[in-house]
Amino acid sequence: MRLIPMNRILLAAALLLAIPVGIPALAQGFKDTSMLRAPAGSQVAIYDFEDLECPACSHAFPIVHAAVEKYKIPLLRHDFPLRMHVWSFDAAVIARYIQDKISPQAAEEYRGAVFANQISIASKEDLNAFTQKYFQSHGRVMPFVIDPNGLFAAEVHADQTLGERVGLTKTPTIFIVTHKGFVEVNDVTQLYAMLDNAIAENPAPAAAKPKTTAHK
């Protein structure tokens, strides 16, 4: 049997102690996580990287949105269309068009509709037909060219680059973020319990009491 030198054992122990408390060991596999922090003015938020062609993202979408509404916390959603998927990038570009030209709420509704109809969308042609019907059902005309200048495609590419920088390998990848760090939600059914813990550990600062002026 080969004996391990004591200095290596001590080094391994020191490295384990250096892992931040509250961040699971799985989270250590990510690369650059410097952006995974709650935005200013919020103690807790959700970071969500999604792919509109991903069945698991379809399952997580209503759960994440219900949690955001329940806890009144920000959702920082990013598009991460996987390269193996045929039409997810185009769907993300369309959602960005709707967000910019119509409204963010309309874009969320479109994303939800795409997720709900994933099984009937097998190609870019199917996506185009679905989107045309979606626009018509909302009293709008789908433009012949959605992104003539490539602006919305550039936004989706920027999200992809961000995801690659973090080191993502799957969708959805969901993080609960605070000012102290982050934790990955590997099981979306545990989202509420994990949010309860994060909020308990990161309470909102107490409101300052108004100063009283003594009467002379």
Side-chain angles (χ1 to χ4, degrees):
M1 181 177 68
R2 183 181 177 184
L3 296 178
I4 301 174
M6 181 57 70
N7 62 335
R8 291 190 180 181
I9 295 174
L10 293 175
L11 176 60
L15 290 173
L16 285 173
L17 290 174
I19 296 175
V21 176
I23 300 179
L26 284 175
Q28 305 307 312
F30 294 110
K31 296 189 290 188
D32 182 359
T33 60
S34 58
M35 75 293 297
L36 298 179
R37 297 292 182 271
S42 301
Q43 299 304 111
V44 177
I46 293 177
Y47 252 79
D48 183 9
F49 290 85
E50 72 180 20
D51 175 327
L52 286 163
E53 198 173 341
C54 166
C57 293
S58 176
H59 173 69
F61 183 85
I63 299 173
V64 169
H65 280 71
V68 167
E69 180 62 27
K70 172 181 170 61
Y71 292 95
K72 308 300 181 187
I73 58 176
L75 170 62
L76 293 86
R77 196 263 331 293
H78 297 278
D79 287 301
F80 195 71
L82 300 174
R83 303 188 189 283
M84 69 185 76
H85 285 160
V86 175
W87 53 262
S88 59
F89 185 92
D90 289 22
V93 170
I94 295 168
R96 294 301 181 106
Y97 167 87
I98 295 173
Q99 178 176 325
D100 184 76
K101 300 299 183 181
I102 303 176
S103 73
Q105 179 59 37
E108 289 302 302
E109 291 174 0
Y110 175 77
R111 289 176 182 273
V114 170
F115 279 135
N117 290 273
Q118 266 184 353
I119 194 170
S120 65
I121 304 173
S123 64
K124 292 186 177 184
E125 291 73 22
D126 289 345
L127 175 68
N128 186 64
F130 169 81
T131 303
Q132 286 183 338
K133 290 180 180 178
Y134 183 84
F135 270 73
Q136 291 171 0
S137 68
H138 288 74
R140 298 181 180 275
V141 177
M142 180 180 173
F144 182 71
V145 179
I146 285 284
D147 190 20
N149 300 317
L151 172 64
F152 306 120
E155 291 179 355
V156 176
H157 279 305
D159 272 5
Q160 284 181 310
T161 299
L162 178 63
E164 290 166 357
R165 185 172 140 200
V166 175
L168 302 189
T169 59
K170 63 180 177 63
T171 56
T173 300
I174 302 168
F175 301 103
I176 295 174
V177 298
T178 69
H179 294 291
K180 300 175 184 177
F182 68 94
V183 61
E184 183 184 6
V185 181
N186 288 300
D187 181 354
V188 74
T189 65
Q190 298 300 312
L191 178 61
Y192 281 53
M194 295 175 72
L195 282 170
D196 286 337
N197 289 337
I199 292 169
E201 294 174 1
N202 298 272
K209 294 182 179 180
K211 296 181 179 180
T212 56
T213 303
H215 296 284
K216 296 182 178 179

